[in-house]
Amino acid sequence: MHLEPGNGTQHLEFLLLGLTEDPELLPLLFGLFLSMYLVTLLGNLLIILATISDSHLHTPMYFFLSNLSFVDICFTSNTVPKMLANIQTQSKAITYAGCITQIHFFVLFAGLDGFLLTVMAYDRYVAICHPLHYMVIMNHRRCGLLVLVSWFVSVLHGLLHSSMILRLSFCTDLEIIPHFFCELNQVIQRACSDTFLNELLIYIASFLLALGPLIGILSSYFKIVSSIRAISSAQGKYKAFSTCASHLSVVSLFYGTSLGVYLSSAVTQNSHSTATASVMYTVVTPMLNPFIYSLRNKDIKSALRRLCDTGR
């Protein structure tokens, strides 16, 4: 019997198999992911608080960084708490509504991460290639507009995918997903109805909203490298490149891990390996971002010290 979208789906549930089915490894997994989640929350919250409290950081670069930290908190909070709750209660279930909601916010925040990294690359391009016009080009209105447009497009992108999932029907009232969250492709693969439009949407959206920002980042850095090469002094070159180093590290980490997962899933049909690899860009990257920016950035270090001194 097919479960049609609508009234029939109210009894539909999904079972998230997680990263392991070995009961002896579950306590270790719970402790590991709880620790990583708390570090992610603390690290990104400190970046946001430091940016808000310190007037020295009221610049476009740190405005975008605080937005990225907020998105990273939301991105991780969409998947990890549910996984921790399932391990703690020894339940693998997630409701149909919960699964659709998780897909929507996952698509939203993953896309928003890419857009913000692109906006930050544009900011660095203007700062290095057009330093005299930087404050005119990157004014408060334009910075706010760039973030607002990124949110608007990402919300629409998430709504589009989640509404397309709602039109699908499923064969049973209990669908098994070999992942630790409701991953879009995995849910679509379990549908009984025709999924051509869903798959077409994924390909088009991936090309426009994933490849597009990456091309934007690469073109910005191509122009940045050209400008840095034109600087005569070695000290000047180092100073110019050091302002991009943290952002370049985060971009490499985010796109390197997400592309790695995408390519590995295309090559191998092992869903368990894909789920394990997904941990890198869904959990590890948001956790490492605050460390990358704070360790390589004197302004952030100073702001964090002042914040800690104020809290004492």
Side-chain angles (χ1 to χ4, degrees):
M1 181 182 73
H2 286 226
L3 287 178
E4 297 297 331
N7 294 333
T9 57
Q10 62 185 334
H11 302 297
L12 176 62
E13 278 193 330
F14 294 92
L15 284 186
L16 300 173
L17 296 186
L19 296 172
T20 181
E21 294 185 55
D22 188 346
E24 293 181 1
L25 289 177
L26 289 178
L28 177 65
L29 207 62
F30 181 86
L32 179 64
F33 275 84
L34 178 61
S35 301
M36 288 196 292
Y37 181 58
L38 292 175
V39 169
T40 302
L41 289 182
L42 181 63
N44 284 290
L45 279 173
L46 282 174
I47 294 286
I48 294 168
L49 288 172
T51 306
I52 293 170
S53 64
D54 198 311
S55 59
H56 296 93
L57 302 184
H58 292 175
T59 62
M61 182 171 73
Y62 296 110
F63 170 68
F64 296 135
L65 176 58
S66 60
N67 274 275
L68 182 68
S69 292
F70 175 72
V71 170
D72 280 342
I73 289 172
C74 297
F75 189 36
T76 310
S77 298
N78 183 47
T79 55
V80 176
K82 178 59 181 173
M83 183 183 70
L84 293 174
N86 281 6
I87 292 173
Q88 188 65 21
T89 58
Q90 297 185 342
S91 166
K92 297 179 185 293
I94 183 170
T95 62
Y96 176 76
C99 194
I100 300 296
T101 303
Q102 204 172 61
I103 288 171
H104 168 72
F105 284 110
F106 181 84
V107 171
L108 192 165
F109 292 122
L112 196 49
D113 246 338
F115 283 131
L116 286 174
L117 289 172
T118 309
V119 169
M120 291 170 81
Y122 174 69
D123 173 71
R124 292 299 83 207
Y125 155 72
V126 175
I128 292 170
C129 300
H130 304 283
L132 298 177
H133 302 98
Y134 177 71
M135 293 311 297
V136 176
I137 297 171
M138 299 304 293
N139 56 62
H140 293 301
R141 186 173 176 274
R142 178 164 292 182
C143 291
L145 192 62
L146 285 169
V147 171
L148 191 63
V149 169
S150 298
W151 271 95
F152 181 73
V153 174
S154 299
V155 169
L156 282 183
H157 183 210
L159 283 171
L160 192 57
H161 278 292
S162 52
S163 60
M164 288 293 284
I165 292 283
L166 289 171
R167 59 178 281 278
L168 298 178
S169 58
F170 296 85
C171 295
T172 65
D173 58 2
L174 193 65
E175 293 290 341
I176 297 172
I177 299 175
H179 219 294
F180 66 94
F181 66 93
C182 280
E183 201 268 332
L184 181 63
N185 280 312
Q186 295 286 349
V187 174
I188 289 173
Q189 286 172 15
R190 270 134 197 90
C192 285
S193 52
D194 182 32
T195 60
F196 173 75
L197 288 176
N198 296 78
E199 290 167 359
L200 182 64
L201 175 62
I202 289 173
Y203 286 122
I204 293 172
S206 297
F207 181 78
L208 294 176
L209 302 179
L211 191 60
L214 182 58
I215 291 170
I217 291 169
L218 292 175
S219 62
S220 293
Y221 272 103
F222 177 78
K223 292 172 183 176
I224 286 169
V225 170
S226 299
S227 292
I228 290 175
R229 286 178 65 186
I231 298 172
S232 55
S233 69
Q235 188 178 358
K237 287 181 179 180
Y238 175 77
K239 188 178 178 181
F241 181 75
S242 64
T243 63
C244 304
S246 298
H247 177 256
L248 201 54
S249 301
V250 171
V251 167
S252 302
L253 194 60
F254 178 75
Y255 277 100
T257 53
S258 53
L259 284 173
V261 170
Y262 176 79
L263 292 173
S264 66
S265 63
V267 172
T268 177
Q269 298 298 314
N270 190 333
S271 300
H272 181 73
S273 299
T274 304
T276 306
S278 298
V279 173
M280 285 302 296
Y281 73 92
T282 56
V283 184
V284 177
T285 300
M287 180 185 71
L288 292 180
N289 285 356
F291 292 101
I292 292 170
Y293 275 101
S294 59
L295 290 173
R296 299 183 64 94
N297 192 302
K298 291 178 182 178
D299 293 334
I300 290 284
K301 282 181 182 177
S302 301
L304 288 172
R305 281 196 210 99
R306 284 192 286 270
L307 187 66
C308 292
D309 292 338
T310 306
R312 286 174 186 173

